[in-house]
Amino acid sequence: MSADTADSPLTAHSLAPAPVEVPTLPKYAIGVDVGGTGTKGGIVNLTKGKLSGDRFRIPTPRPATPDAVAAVIEEIVDELMSRPKAPSPEDLAVGVLFPGIVIDNVVHSAANIDHAWIGCNTEDLLSSLPGKLRVLNDADGAGLAEARYGAGAGASGTVLTITLGTGIGSALIHDGVLVPNSELGHLEFDGDIAEKKASAAARERADMSWEEYGALLGRYLKYVERLHSPSLFIIGGGISKRSQEFLPYVKGLRADVVPAALVNNAGIVGAALFAAEQKALAER
Ligand code: BGC
């Protein structure tokens, strides 16, 4: 190595990725998933990546305005905190999933929920909740849970979870680290926003057979593969329970394509995990 490069601050060594620190987590945290029809919460055992006890669900109010949804989230957290296994309020981390872009607990998009959420500071909105709050994108929560405890556990490289529901959500994770708000359902695809063409709701609207849907989804995933080169796609959302009907028609990808393993509770588990990790990292 010449003296020049040795003195330069940009040596190959200084460009190596920073090591990822995995904080020590508490055993339990709370996760809440705000969905189109139901808002569900649970106490999550972070050692197992599973719910401890039943989940508690309340129908999502309509219209799903911030104040109305906040009242439901508060009721759910109250109920969970009254249980014997509830974490103590000092140790508590509460993760809440939201179906839009969330940066530093502020909502920046609301494609499939009341537009009054845009610009909402959820820390102010949910200031009466106990514990340390983190709000994150719904697909990011589900993807994080799948990558750590579910279909992507142990996978290295880029793992992309794609959730298929009313919209399309995405979680981009590299070697276990989440790059939040990837929003790959909003790529342009077949002349429209991808989720308008390839979500589970779009399949129903267009009355597509499973074979047609699998072929369409395959084309969308190939497009995403060209952009992000994942080693693994995890397909989530309620429709993933029927993955044997359409995944056989998803062909020609370099990446493996597998159904989600945690399905119903992935969001709640991922929200709790994210909140507990962020709390632990902030308290180092
Ligand atoms: C939103 C995403 C969300 C996805 C699934 C999309 O319309 O833009 O943020 O993750 O729907 O709910």
Side-chain angles (χ1 to χ4, degrees):
M1 188 188 289
S2 74
D4 264 13
T5 42
D7 289 345
S8 154
L10 285 181
T11 60
H13 178 72
S14 71
L15 288 174
V20 176
E21 193 183 331
V22 179
T24 312
L25 298 180
K27 188 159 183 203
Y28 298 108
I30 283 180
V32 179
D33 183 359
V34 178
T37 51
T39 299
K40 302 138 268 182
I43 298 178
V44 176
N45 178 326
L46 295 172
T47 316
K48 297 185 178 158
K50 287 202 170 112
L51 292 201
S52 160
D54 292 338
R55 67 182 191 170
F56 185 60
R57 179 185 188 277
I58 298 181
T60 302
R62 280 172 195 238
T65 56
D67 285 341
V69 173
V72 163
I73 295 172
E74 280 158 19
E75 200 178 328
I76 290 173
V77 174
D78 270 1
E79 197 276 345
L80 297 172
M81 287 301 282
S82 71
R83 297 184 184 179
K85 278 212 176 136
S88 69
E90 308 80 66
D91 295 334
L92 180 65
V94 179
V96 176
L97 296 186
F98 182 79
I101 297 172
V102 185
I103 304 170
D104 291 337
N105 283 346
V106 177
V107 172
H108 289 269
S109 78
N112 294 308
I113 194 164
D114 201 288
H115 284 201
W117 280 94
I118 296 174
C120 175
N121 181 325
T122 58
E123 241 160 319
D124 295 343
L125 180 74
L126 296 167
S127 59
S128 69
L129 287 186
K132 187 80 185 136
L133 173 77
R134 292 304 299 197
V135 177
L136 74 156
N137 174 263
D138 56 357
D140 282 342
L144 201 55
E146 287 293 340
R148 297 285 175 80
Y149 305 110
S156 57
T158 300
V159 174
L160 256 173
T161 297
I162 301 286
T163 63
L164 304 168
T166 311
I168 294 183
S170 62
L172 175 60
I173 291 173
H174 183 75
D175 285 351
V177 178
L178 172 72
V179 181
N181 299 306
S182 51
E183 290 290 335
L184 300 177
H186 285 253
L187 288 172
E188 192 180 323
F189 176 69
D190 281 359
D192 206 338
I193 300 170
E195 68 179 9
K196 302 259 186 256
K197 295 279 182 177
S199 62
R203 183 190 85 85
E204 281 174 22
R205 272 196 305 271
D207 201 18
M208 273 179 248
S209 68
W210 288 115
E211 183 170 357
E212 284 167 327
Y213 184 61
L216 178 86
L217 186 64
R219 280 199 299 113
Y220 167 68
L221 294 179
K222 258 194 212 167
Y223 175 34
V224 172
E225 185 176 64
R226 273 207 302 279
L227 299 174
H228 291 288
S229 302
S231 48
L232 178 65
F233 277 111
I234 300 174
I235 304 300
I239 200 174
S240 65
K241 285 183 218 143
R242 306 203 56 184
S243 60
Q244 73 284 3
E245 311 260 20
F246 60 93
L247 283 190
Y249 304 109
V250 172
K251 291 180 185 152
L253 285 126
R254 193 178 48 242
D256 290 331
V257 185
V258 298
L262 306 174
V263 195
N264 283 342
N265 294 328
I268 296 174
V269 171
L273 173 67
F274 182 77
E277 278 187 357
Q278 296 292 310
K279 180 174 185 292
L281 286 169
E283 287 169 359
R284 270 177 312 167

XYZ file of all heavy atoms in Angstrom, residues 98-101 109 111-112 137-139 163 167-170 183 186 195, ligand 1:
139
model
N -48.119 0.390 11.214
C -48.992 1.293 10.482
C -48.813 1.057 8.973
O -47.679 0.910 8.507
C -48.644 2.747 10.843
C -49.541 3.715 10.164
C -50.811 3.952 10.653
C -49.140 4.353 9.005
C -51.676 4.816 9.979
C -49.993 5.218 8.336
C -51.258 5.451 8.827
N -49.934 1.056 8.195
C -49.807 0.742 6.758
C -49.378 1.935 5.900
O -50.078 2.335 4.979
C -51.219 0.269 6.383
C -52.114 1.008 7.331
C -51.349 1.172 8.615
N -48.233 2.506 6.183
C -47.730 3.630 5.394
C -46.293 3.914 5.804
O -45.724 3.216 6.648
N -45.705 4.944 5.181
C -44.321 5.308 5.488
C -44.281 5.945 6.883
O -45.081 6.830 7.194
C -43.796 6.315 4.442
C -43.786 5.665 3.055
C -42.418 6.845 4.817
C -43.479 6.633 1.911
N -47.212 8.671 4.712
C -48.112 8.284 3.607
C -49.227 7.423 4.176
O -49.091 6.829 5.254
C -47.351 7.515 2.513
O -47.140 6.179 2.900
N -51.743 5.252 1.899
C -52.408 4.878 0.640
C -53.741 4.164 0.891
O -54.702 4.381 0.165
C -51.476 3.996 -0.190
N -53.768 3.317 1.933
C -54.981 2.513 2.141
C -55.631 2.753 3.496
O -56.279 1.873 4.050
C -54.641 1.018 1.976
C -54.250 0.695 0.555
O -54.977 1.024 -0.379
N -53.086 0.092 0.376
N -43.663 0.763 9.777
C -44.458 0.288 8.646
C -44.884 -1.172 8.863
O -44.106 -1.983 9.356
C -43.608 0.432 7.371
C -44.288 -0.178 6.168
O -44.014 -1.311 5.808
N -45.194 0.550 5.568
N -46.118 -1.495 8.446
C -46.654 -2.843 8.710
C -45.828 -3.967 8.049
O -45.518 -4.982 8.685
C -48.142 -2.938 8.304
C -48.425 -2.556 6.855
O -47.484 -2.153 6.127
O -49.601 -2.656 6.440
N -45.431 -3.756 6.792
C -44.655 -4.802 6.111
C -43.261 -4.928 6.732
O -42.713 -6.038 6.833
C -44.543 -4.488 4.621
N -45.663 -8.413 1.191
C -46.968 -8.768 1.758
C -48.062 -8.405 0.754
O -48.082 -7.301 0.218
C -47.231 -8.049 3.103
O -47.276 -6.637 2.888
C -46.149 -8.371 4.127
N -53.106 -3.736 -0.309
C -51.988 -3.158 -1.047
C -50.866 -4.186 -1.148
O -51.072 -5.377 -0.913
N -49.680 -3.714 -1.538
C -48.479 -4.561 -1.467
C -47.494 -3.839 -0.558
O -47.188 -2.664 -0.771
C -47.832 -4.780 -2.858
C -48.761 -5.604 -3.756
C -46.481 -5.487 -2.717
C -48.165 -5.937 -5.133
N -47.032 -4.559 0.460
C -46.023 -3.999 1.356
C -44.704 -4.719 1.122
O -44.669 -5.827 0.565
N -43.610 -4.101 1.536
C -42.311 -4.758 1.353
C -41.395 -4.468 2.526
O -41.468 -3.394 3.132
C -41.655 -4.284 0.052
O -41.403 -2.899 0.106
N -41.263 0.319 0.360
C -42.434 0.678 -0.459
C -42.377 0.135 -1.886
O -42.697 0.855 -2.843
C -42.602 2.212 -0.488
C -43.037 2.824 0.831
C -44.482 2.490 1.197
O -45.307 2.215 0.309
O -44.779 2.490 2.417
N -45.237 0.313 -4.509
C -45.551 1.555 -5.227
C -44.651 1.776 -6.438
O -44.636 2.859 -7.003
C -45.519 2.746 -4.252
C -46.738 2.774 -3.371
N -47.766 3.671 -3.510
C -47.113 1.946 -2.369
C -48.717 3.415 -2.624
N -48.334 2.367 -1.906
N -49.218 -2.202 -6.693
C -50.240 -2.815 -5.826
C -51.634 -2.783 -6.455
O -52.491 -3.574 -6.108
C -50.237 -2.188 -4.428
C -50.704 -0.767 -4.345
C -50.698 -0.248 -2.904
O -50.181 -0.919 -2.002
O -51.220 0.859 -2.711
C -48.475 1.180 1.724
C -47.381 0.479 2.472
C -47.945 -0.713 3.218
C -48.706 -1.619 2.261
C -49.354 -2.786 2.984
C -49.168 0.194 0.822
O -50.183 0.833 0.125
O -47.954 2.249 0.953
O -46.774 1.370 3.367
O -46.889 -1.409 3.818
O -49.697 -0.881 1.596
O -50.257 -2.357 3.940
